[in-house]
Amino acid sequence: MIKNIILILVMSLLDINTVLANPDGAKLFSQNCATCHGDNGAGGIGVPLALASFQSTISDDYVRKTIRHGRPGRIMPAFTQINDAEVEAIVKYVRAWNKTKPIAFSQELIKGDPVHGKQLFSKYCASCHGANGEGGKGTGVTFSRPRDLPIMAPALHNPGFLASATDAMIKNTLIMGRKGTPMISFYKHGLNEKDINDIVSHIRGFEKQPVSESATILETEQAILSVDSPYDLQTTIENVKNAATSHNFIFIREQTLDSGLVPEGTENPKQHIIYFCNFNVLNQALATDPRVGLFLPCRITAVEQNGKVRLYSVNPKRLSKIFNNSALNNMCDEMTKQYKTVMEEATF
Amino acid sequence: MKTIIRFLAIAFFSLLLTSPAKADQLLSARSSQDFEEAMSTLQAAIKNNGYQLSKVQRVDVGLQAKGYKTDKYRVVFYGKAEEIADLAAKHPELIPYLPLNIAIFSEENNTILAAGRPELLKEFFPSADLAPYFERWEKDLEKILDEVRETK
């Protein structure tokens, strides 16, 4: 009996170890990366990873560190919850698209003149990468709405990029360019090696500057907004509708929390969701990041419990963080203010 | 012998607890099915995993009615009636996050799905009695998204 138990445990351990030692890179890519980068790495909101000129100018380590660090504020999350073996499996899968000899870039810093580099950056790079390296407007070809360019210029003033790219890799990219993207070879554009070193030195200097706005994530502890109402449930619900309407929202519908989940007529009448929407704001938000529809249209829930009425809503400012998209920061901040205003007016 | 068994048992369960691959705060999936097919697969997957559909918010229809051009876009709400009633009574502060939802929208011939990571709710609502719900929802949501992702 004991021998059998030991045997089963040992076999199970061996089996699990085999699985853990050989994670399926294709499956992991499909689960974690394909939504943005496409099933075949053709790109979309994320960089076209399979692009030959991209593959030939990056290292395995760049991919590895990019997975780990992500790009704060630029949608690409930091994958902190996958283990090292899984990261390696994804790297191997992604790098199988590379048809050229793999590169391992030097870790050494390149010495250059950052002041001259800044001048060159303003002249040659800023139109795509932003005056301060904050990246192209938006965060890539959106999920469902193509933009003007096949790829948005990456944010260079981003802690994730700076942690992932060595000076040698940045220099190589400036020299080689990325065929198939607007990134050209600056050698061919007339710059010499010293000029390129100066630009690299300027880019590395971003590390010493305050975090770029495009890499800023809204921080707030509150996951919900809530306010006590001095009114009865029905009056509070009507007040929410009126307050929302007076702030340029359109009332959409009112339903119980359990509507659709329980047979009609048996719903709990003490938990009412009021849906409302400003379609212009909704349209703008979805154009910026369609995933944001997760918490749109707006809704406030009125709950009566033990004779007391209270209003609840999500806190858009807190939810902004889950999208890792700095382009949403202002919208989410504004939405939080509007929710608070509507709730306060409804309970005044 | 007992020590060996204990060691092996601990090692076994430690490995079982090793977290699976996860992105940070959102779960998402790309489906090679078109929107209608993916929507149908999603609804079936929700039911297959023991949940009930509560409401489909037709975001695209609303936008189009107001004159905005949009791709197909819906938000699917789902849950378990008894579970939601129980949680709403004990933890009304959780109500803004209930029922659970998944955004589904078209991208050319593909369909994208996105949902907040249920385990993130542990950070929002650090009550010990809620953690098992969030953990189970997370696993179930991963299964639902896997079903949609893998259905061709």
Side-chain angles (χ1 to χ4, degrees), chain A residues 10 134 191 195 206 254-255 260 269 274 276 325 347:
Chain A
V10 169
E134 65 269 26
L191 297 188
D195 292 333
F206 288 141
E254 177 196 339
Q255 64 172 72
I274 303 112
F276 50 95
N325 184 351
T347 55

Side-chain angles (χ1 to χ4, degrees), chain A residues 25 27-39 46 49 67 76 79 90 94, chain B residues 28 30:
Chain A
K27 188 172 183 185
L28 286 164
F29 182 87
S30 174
Q31 288 174 329
N32 296 289
C33 319
T35 305
C36 293
H37 294 285
D39 282 328
L49 298 171
I67 293 169
M76 171 75 189
F79 287 82
I90 296 172
V94 166
Chain B
S28 62
R30 175 183 289 273

Side-chain angles (χ1 to χ4, degrees), chain A residues 34-35 143 223 290 294 299 305, chain B residues 23 30 57 73 89 97-98 101 107:
Chain A
T35 305
F143 287 106
L294 273 177
R299 72 180 217 181
Q305 197 173 40
Chain B
R30 175 183 289 273
Q57 179 76 42
Y73 197 118
Y97 291 89
L98 298 175
N101 63 1
E107 184 186 70

Side-chain angles (χ1 to χ4, degrees), chain A residues 100-213:
Chain A
T100 58
K101 195 178 171 187
I103 313 174
F105 290 108
S106 162
Q107 298 292 318
E108 284 185 25
L109 293 178
I110 287 174
K111 287 178 184 169
D113 176 0
V115 176
H116 184 232
K118 185 175 182 180
Q119 290 169 357
L120 293 172
F121 187 91
S122 297
K123 187 174 178 183
Y124 292 104
C125 316
S127 60
C128 291
H129 292 281
N132 295 303
E134 65 269 26
K137 194 180 174 189
T139 36
V141 181
T142 64
F143 287 106
S144 57
R145 299 179 191 212
R147 297 248 174 102
D148 298 338
L149 297 171
I151 176 176
M152 283 294 142
L156 307 176
H157 187 171
N158 185 282
F161 173 78
L162 293 167
S164 305
T166 67
D167 284 9
M169 184 191 131
I170 299 169
K171 180 176 179 176
N172 188 55
T173 305
L174 284 160
I175 291 171
M176 302 297 292
R178 295 255 165 86
K179 197 177 175 186
T181 79
M183 179 71 195
I184 56 167
S185 161
F186 283 89
Y187 251 5
K188 291 179 185 169
H189 210 65
L191 297 188
N192 59 36
E193 186 170 5
K194 184 193 172 299
D195 292 333
I196 286 174
N197 287 348
D198 292 347
I199 295 174
V200 173
S201 178
H202 170 64
I203 291 170
R204 185 56 59 195
F206 288 141
E207 282 179 333
K208 295 171 189 155
Q209 296 177 16
V211 173
S212 161
E213 196 176 321

Side-chain angles (χ1 to χ4, degrees), chain B residues 10 12 21 30 39 50 52-53 58 70 77 80 83 88 90-91 93 96 106 111 116 120 126 129 131 141 143 149:
Chain B
I10 289 168
F12 176 74
R30 175 183 289 273
M39 176 61 114
Q52 198 177 335
L53 222 63
R58 301 193 301 165
T70 175
F77 292 89
K80 295 180 180 178
E83 195 169 79
K90 290 177 186 162
H91 294 276
E93 72 279 8
S106 59
T111 306
L120 185 65
D129 63 320
L141 179 57
K143 281 190 228 163
R149 194 183 285 121

Side-chain angles (χ1 to χ4, degrees), chain A residues 2 5-6 8-10 12-13 16-17 20 27-28 30-32 34-39 43-45 77-83 86 141-146 221-225 250 252-253 255 257-262 271 273 275 278-283 286 289-297 299 301 303 305 312-315 318-319 321-323, chain B residues 1 4-5 7-9 11-13 15-16 18-26 28-32 52-57 59 61-63 66 68-71 73 75 77-82 84-85 88-99 101-103 105-108 110 112-117 119-120 123-125 138 146 149-150 152:
Chain A
I2 289 173
I5 292 171
I6 292 174
I8 289 167
L9 287 172
V10 169
S12 302
L13 279 170
I16 288 169
N17 271 324
L20 290 178
K27 188 172 183 185
L28 286 164
S30 174
Q31 288 174 329
N32 296 289
T35 305
C36 293
H37 294 285
D39 282 328
I45 198 159
F79 287 82
T80 53
Q81 290 160 295
I82 58 177
N83 64 42
E86 289 167 332
V141 181
T142 64
F143 287 106
S144 57
R145 299 179 191 212
E221 294 301 313
Q222 293 176 295
I224 59 163
L225 305 173
I250 294 171
I252 296 180
R253 71 173 186 278
Q255 64 172 72
L257 174 67
D258 53 6
S259 171
L261 294 172
V262 298
Q271 299 157 345
I273 306 173
Y275 284 91
N278 178 322
F279 284 93
N280 188 34
V281 173
L282 172 65
N283 187 53
L286 293 181
D289 189 332
R291 301 171 303 172
V292 83
L294 273 177
F295 67 96
L296 292 171
R299 72 180 217 181
T301 310
V303 178
Q305 197 173 40
Y312 293 96
S313 78
V314 298
N315 183 356
R318 175 62 188 86
L319 290 182
K321 191 177 177 180
I322 74 174
F323 298 100
Chain B
M1 183 60 79
I4 294 171
I5 293 174
F7 168 78
L8 286 169
F12 176 74
F13 287 113
L15 281 170
L16 280 184
T18 303
S19 50
K22 291 170 182 174
D24 221 15
Q25 304 200 351
L26 275 173
S28 62
R30 175 183 289 273
S31 166
S32 59
Q52 198 177 335
L53 222 63
S54 156
K55 169 90 184 166
V56 177
Q57 179 76 42
V59 178
V61 175
L63 279 168
K66 297 293 174 190
Y68 294 99
K69 193 179 172 189
T70 175
D71 297 299
Y73 197 118
V75 180
F77 292 89
Y78 67 99
K80 295 180 180 178
E82 283 183 16
I84 287 178
K90 290 177 186 162
H91 294 276
E93 72 279 8
L94 189 58
I95 287 177
Y97 291 89
L98 298 175
N101 63 1
I102 298 172
F105 49 94
S106 59
E107 184 186 70
E108 296 182 341
N110 284 184
I112 305 277
L113 294 93
R117 179 179 287 288
E119 282 213 20
L120 185 65
E123 190 184 312
F124 293 176
F125 307 102
E138 173 104 355
D146 277 344
R149 194 183 285 121
E150 288 161 14
K152 304 293 178 192

Side-chain angles (χ1 to χ4, degrees), chain A residues 290-343:
Chain A
R291 301 171 303 172
V292 83
L294 273 177
F295 67 96
L296 292 171
C298 303
R299 72 180 217 181
I300 288 175
T301 310
V303 178
E304 184 186 326
Q305 197 173 40
N306 303 323
K308 290 181 179 175
V309 177
R310 196 168 175 82
L311 294 176
Y312 293 96
S313 78
V314 298
N315 183 356
K317 201 171 168 182
R318 175 62 188 86
L319 290 182
S320 175
K321 191 177 177 180
I322 74 174
F323 298 100
N324 187 34
N325 184 351
S326 63
L328 290 172
N329 288 358
N330 287 340
M331 284 182 204
C332 289
D333 191 27
E334 184 57 32
M335 194 60 73
T336 292
K337 286 177 189 160
Q338 291 192 335
Y339 271 25
K340 282 182 178 172
T341 303
V342 168
M343 289 165 90

